[in-house]
């Protein structure tokens, strides 16, 4: 290749190629390899190359002159230039993360720490910058080939940690825990018949602890703007009958008399306890203002009613129990098969119902219903959830009957090999929740109508010459528009919160069989239904994408 075809500019920033046809006497054609060799000699091999300019220059050099008597003019092509390392700053739309992209230098200056800091400042990135990330980016950027890109996150916002609501932690067990967790013996085994002592408290005994609400911790985005945390709801003790706030610790509730503890949403009460060895024809029906402890059985045909809890350490057979609190039956509840929608053994509780097993029993509960062995051919209606499984997940069969739950259902096995018809309707509270949603939506529509009328009034006002518009009327219209806009924003926010709460409850309302799900089970969640036509292994029936689906259960 003839020398001096490539020239470095005086400022050292560009490379030019002086091109003219070599003619027929040239020993060989000039190629890119020849150009690359001279770029190495000029220490410009890393420069950015203009490929189109190189192709044009080579075309001129390797062409034949049109006329040997005509003087050929030299052409100059800029084929390469020095470029400094590039920087690109990109921030996520939520302003919670900023990433930096470094583009390797073409023979130019590498990025420096000051360049990085200045670039971040120019993009208003002022908070959450990780110095370790910047140092790593600087180190790795020096190893980049010309034009190679390296992207790393260097600044992170912090989401707010919202406060927690007040928590009321019981310091004494309730009867349901006692039944579902039989006592361990000295040799480490479990005695299914030994359920421990009945749950009672003494005067002065602490029975509940209040854990105060927290305010949360504010967050920030990479622009330095604070994101306010939502504080938890602060609630106070509701000291029921037989309880008082401890004089030494306002966060502790103590019993003021001996009796049976009854949990309330924001506190507890201690009921007087009526203790009976059994309920039979000798005692007659029982109706007591307080809680009842029955150390034996409730025999057929007997009725027991209490304003507090009812705890039975034996069996309930063909009896009727009604409690203003919880019902706990240690050994089991036994009814009898009967045609129609009503069974002769009936339990009604405002709170929870707990037992080892139930068969041919009708149950109405305001809170959760739990069995540790089985529930067979029962009619169960609860505003809470139904659980038919023990704590170690080795027993628990729900088969036959009709089940309605406000939340979901969990059992080891649901249905039976014989295809026993079992009807389960979960998330029954969806109708009331939808009514609340519809009411909130209608409030939004009514507010829109009001805003429309005000805007019509504003348009009419604008048609009046400004000199004749009553100032007080103009101000009134402006204030009304602003007021209704604020009201619309509040209503929309309330509706969105209700919608989100509804969707969360719908997603969490599941029918779960940890062991087997048999044919003959009819499942319904919200309005959607699903009939199980064959036996399945561990399964979850859930509403997904507005259809009821059977999905594999993963523990």
């Amino acid at each position: 290749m003839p020398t001096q075809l490539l020239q470095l500019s005086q400022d050292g920033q560009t490379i030019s190629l002086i091109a003219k046809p070599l003619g027929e006497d040239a020993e060989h054609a000039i190629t890119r390899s020849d150009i690359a060799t001279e770029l190495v000699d000029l220490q410009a091999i890393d420069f950015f190359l203009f490929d189109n300019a190189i192709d044009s220059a080579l075309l001129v050099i390797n062409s034949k002159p049109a006329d040997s008597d005509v003087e050929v003019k030299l052409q100059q092509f800029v084929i390469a230039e020095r470029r400094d390392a590039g920087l690109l700053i990109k921030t996520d739309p939520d302003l919670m993360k900023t990433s930096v992209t470094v583009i390797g230098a073409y023979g130019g200056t590498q990025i420096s720490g000051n360049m990085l800091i200045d670039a971040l400042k120019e993009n208003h990135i002022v908070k959450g910058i990780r110095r370790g990330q910047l140092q790593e980016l600087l180190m790795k950027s020096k190893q980049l080939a010309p034009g190679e890109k390296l992207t790393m996150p260097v600044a992170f916002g912090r989401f707010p940690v919202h406060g927690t609501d007040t928590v009321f932690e019981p310091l004494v067990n309730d009867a349901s825990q006692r039944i579902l967790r039989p006592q361990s013996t000295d040799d480490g085994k479990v005695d299914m018949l030994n359920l421990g002592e009945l749950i009672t408290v003494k005067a002065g005994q602490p029975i509940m602890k209040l854990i105060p609400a927290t305010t949360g911790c504010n967050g920030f985005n990479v622009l330095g703007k604070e994101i306010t945390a939502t504080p938890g709801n602060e609630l106070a003790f509701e000291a029921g009958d037989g309880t008082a706030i401890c004089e030494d610790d306002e966060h502790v509730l103590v019993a003021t008399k001996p009796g049976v503890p009854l949990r309330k949403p924001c506190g507890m009460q201690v009921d007087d306890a009526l203790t009976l060895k059994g309920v039979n024809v000798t005692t007659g029906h029982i109706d007591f203002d307080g809680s009842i402890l029955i150390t034996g059985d409730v025999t057929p045909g007997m009725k027991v009613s209490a304003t507090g809890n009812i705890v039975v350490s034996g069996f309930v057979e063909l009896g009727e129990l009604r409690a203003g609190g919880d019902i706990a039956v240690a050994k089991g509840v036994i009814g009898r098969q009967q045609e129609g929608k009503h069974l002769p053994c009936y339990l009604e509780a405002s709170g929870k119902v707990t037992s080892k097993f139930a068969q041919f029993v009708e149950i109405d509960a305001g809170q959760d219903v739990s069995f540790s062995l089985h529930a067979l051919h029962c009619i169960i209606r609860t505003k809470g959830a139904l659980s038919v499984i023990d704590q170690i997940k080795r027993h628990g069969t729900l088969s036959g009957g009709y089940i309605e739950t406000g939340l979901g259902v969990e059992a080891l096995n649901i249905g039976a090999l014989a295809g026993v018809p079992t009807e389960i309707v979960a998330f029954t509270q969806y109708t009331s929740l939808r009514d609340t949603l519809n009411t909130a939506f209608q409030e939004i529509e009514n507010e829109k109508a009001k805003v429309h009328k005000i805007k019509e009034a504003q348009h009419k006002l604008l048609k009046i010459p400004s000199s004749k518009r009553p100032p007080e009327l103009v101000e009134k219209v402006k204030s009304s528009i602003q007021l209704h806009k604020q009201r619309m924003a509040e209503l929309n926010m309330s509706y969105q919160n209700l919608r989100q709460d509804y969707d969360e409850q719908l997603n969490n309302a599941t029918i779960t069989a940890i062991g087997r799900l048999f044919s003959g089970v009819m499942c319904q969640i919200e309005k959607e239904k699903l009939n199980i036509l064959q036996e399945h292994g561990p399964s979850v029936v859930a509403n997904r994408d507005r259809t009821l689906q059977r999905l594999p259960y993963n523990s």
Side-chain angles (χ1 to χ4, degrees):
M1 173 180 176
T3 58
Q4 301 301 319
L5 280 182
L6 298 186
Q7 293 182 0
L8 181 64
S9 63
Q10 290 184 354
D11 60 5
Q13 295 300 308
T14 60
I15 298 289
S16 299
L17 190 153
I18 309 301
K20 71 174 181 177
L22 295 177
E24 296 178 354
D25 297 334
E27 295 180 2
H28 60 83
I30 303 302
T31 65
R32 281 180 170 269
S33 179
D34 297 320
I35 293 175
T37 300
E38 191 160 337
L39 286 171
V40 172
D41 295 338
L42 292 173
Q43 297 182 349
I45 191 63
D46 287 337
F47 278 32
F48 181 81
L49 301 180
F50 297 106
D51 290 326
N52 290 338
I54 292 174
D55 291 340
S56 298
L58 290 176
L59 187 62
V60 171
I61 292 173
N62 294 318
S63 64
K64 295 180 180 180
D67 189 343
S68 59
D69 295 332
V70 177
E71 182 181 356
V72 178
K73 293 184 178 179
L74 300 178
Q75 297 184 50
Q76 182 174 347
F77 295 87
V78 176
I79 65 163
E81 71 176 9
R82 188 192 304 271
R83 289 185 177 180
D84 295 338
L87 277 178
L88 294 174
I89 309 294
K90 183 178 180 181
T91 300
D92 288 356
D94 62 1
L95 306 179
M96 297 303 287
K97 185 176 74 175
T98 295
S99 298
V100 174
T101 299
V102 180
I103 305 169
Y106 290 89
T109 305
Q110 300 285 354
I111 62 168
S112 65
N114 288 335
M115 290 171 61
L116 271 176
I117 296 299
D118 291 342
L120 291 172
K121 286 182 179 178
E122 288 174 6
N123 285 271
H124 310 292
I125 310 302
V126 296
K127 199 157 186 178
I129 299 172
R130 306 259 179 100
R131 293 192 177 275
Q133 297 287 96
L134 291 180
Q135 291 171 356
E136 184 178 356
L137 180 64
L138 281 172
M139 181 181 67
K140 290 184 176 181
S141 67
K142 294 176 181 178
Q143 302 169 6
L144 293 176
E148 184 182 358
K149 293 182 179 180
L150 171 65
T151 301
M152 287 183 61
V154 298
F156 301 85
R158 186 180 70 196
F159 288 98
V161 178
H162 297 300
T164 56
D165 296 343
T166 300
V167 174
F168 297 94
E169 179 182 322
L171 300 179
V172 293
N173 291 332
D174 60 23
S176 65
Q177 292 172 309
R178 173 176 170 269
I179 289 171
L180 296 176
R181 186 171 60 240
Q183 305 300 301
S184 297
T185 59
D186 294 336
D187 58 3
K189 296 180 180 181
V190 173
D191 184 352
M192 299 298 290
L193 299 178
N194 177 17
L195 300 172
E197 298 298 323
L198 295 173
I199 306 299
T200 58
V201 296
K202 301 176 181 178
Q205 180 179 344
I207 57 175
M208 179 170 276
K209 180 180 179 181
L210 182 149
I211 301 174
T214 59
T215 57
C217 180
N218 292 341
F220 57 82
N221 60 30
V222 293
L223 303 185
K225 183 178 180 181
E226 188 174 68
I227 305 173
T228 305
T230 303
N233 293 321
E234 190 75 52
L235 302 172
F237 267 134
E238 293 178 4
D241 293 340
T243 70
I245 297 173
C246 179
E247 295 181 359
D248 299 329
D249 188 346
E250 62 179 5
H251 294 154
V252 173
L253 197 67
V254 297
T256 58
K257 65 179 183 179
V260 178
L262 178 62
R263 185 171 180 180
K264 298 294 184 181
C266 297
M268 295 189 90
Q269 71 182 55
V270 175
D271 287 344
D272 293 327
L274 171 64
T275 302
L276 301 168
K277 291 183 179 181
V279 177
N280 47 47
V281 293
T282 304
T283 62
H285 300 315
I286 304 298
D287 187 355
F288 183 68
D289 184 8
S291 292
I292 300 176
L293 307 179
I294 302 170
T295 58
D297 301 328
V298 177
T299 58
M302 303 312 299
K303 297 179 182 181
V304 180
S305 178
T307 58
N309 297 336
I310 298 176
V311 179
V312 182
S313 63
F315 292 95
V316 173
E317 183 179 357
L318 291 170
E320 181 179 304
L321 274 60
R322 298 176 185 269
D326 301 337
I327 293 177
V329 182
K331 293 185 178 180
V333 188
I334 305 168
R336 183 176 60 233
Q337 187 172 5
Q338 182 170 308
E339 297 296 331
K341 281 288 183 180
H342 296 284
L343 296 172
C345 189
Y346 180 67
L347 273 60
E348 179 185 6
S350 299
K352 297 180 289 185
V353 172
T354 308
S355 185
K356 188 175 292 184
F357 69 84
Q359 49 196 53
F360 297 109
V361 180
E362 184 173 355
I363 298 171
D364 282 300
Q367 297 178 22
D368 297 345
V369 176
S370 304
F371 302 101
S372 59
L373 286 182
H374 61 247
L376 306 179
H377 308 286
C378 294
I379 298 172
I380 300 173
R381 293 175 291 264
T382 171
K383 294 179 182 178
L386 170 63
S387 171
V388 188
I389 192 166
D390 63 358
Q391 288 194 330
I392 57 176
K393 302 187 187 316
R394 292 178 62 182
H395 303 281
T397 296
L398 172 63
S399 180
Y402 175 78
I403 311 299
E404 280 187 7
T405 68
L407 301 175
V409 173
E410 181 183 44
L412 184 68
N413 301 310
I414 299 180
L417 278 172
V420 176
T422 307
E423 187 174 355
I424 301 174
V425 182
F427 194 44
T428 54
Q429 59 189 355
Y430 85 91
T431 51
S432 62
L433 292 174
R434 277 194 172 276
D435 289 343
T436 304
L437 269 174
N438 291 335
T439 300
F441 181 78
Q442 191 57 51
E443 287 180 350
I444 292 175
E445 292 300 307
N446 293 339
E447 197 63 30
K448 284 181 180 178
K450 291 178 183 178
V451 171
H452 180 69
K453 287 183 179 181
I454 293 172
K455 286 186 175 180
E456 285 183 343
Q458 187 182 36
H459 290 154
K460 290 180 181 179
L461 195 61
L462 291 174
K463 293 179 181 179
I464 302 173
S466 56
S467 58
K468 296 183 179 180
R469 293 176 198 161
E472 64 279 1
L473 186 57
V474 172
E475 189 61 34
K476 183 178 179 181
V477 170
K478 285 183 179 179
S479 299
S480 295
I481 290 176
Q482 187 63 32
L483 181 65
H484 285 285
K485 279 185 177 180
Q486 183 178 347
R487 175 63 177 158
M488 276 292 294
E490 292 173 353
L491 290 174
N492 280 317
M493 179 64 72
S494 176
Y495 179 81
Q496 291 302 322
N497 289 337
L498 287 171
R499 179 80 252 181
Q500 182 178 351
D501 182 56
Y502 182 90
D503 290 340
E504 286 179 358
Q505 291 195 51
L506 176 59
N507 287 332
N508 292 332
T510 58
I511 299 169
T512 303
I514 295 175
R516 310 297 293 176
L517 177 63
F518 294 96
S519 63
V521 178
M522 193 289 289
C523 301
Q524 179 177 340
I525 299 177
E526 203 186 43
K527 296 180 180 179
E528 302 297 322
K529 295 183 179 181
L530 178 66
N531 289 312
I532 306 302
L533 303 178
Q534 64 185 51
E535 181 182 342
H536 297 279
S539 302
V540 176
V541 177
N543 192 310
R544 298 291 181 263
D545 302 322
R546 297 299 172 187
T547 61
L548 207 55
Q549 304 177 28
R550 188 202 65 81
L551 307 169
Y553 170 77
N554 297 314
S555 58

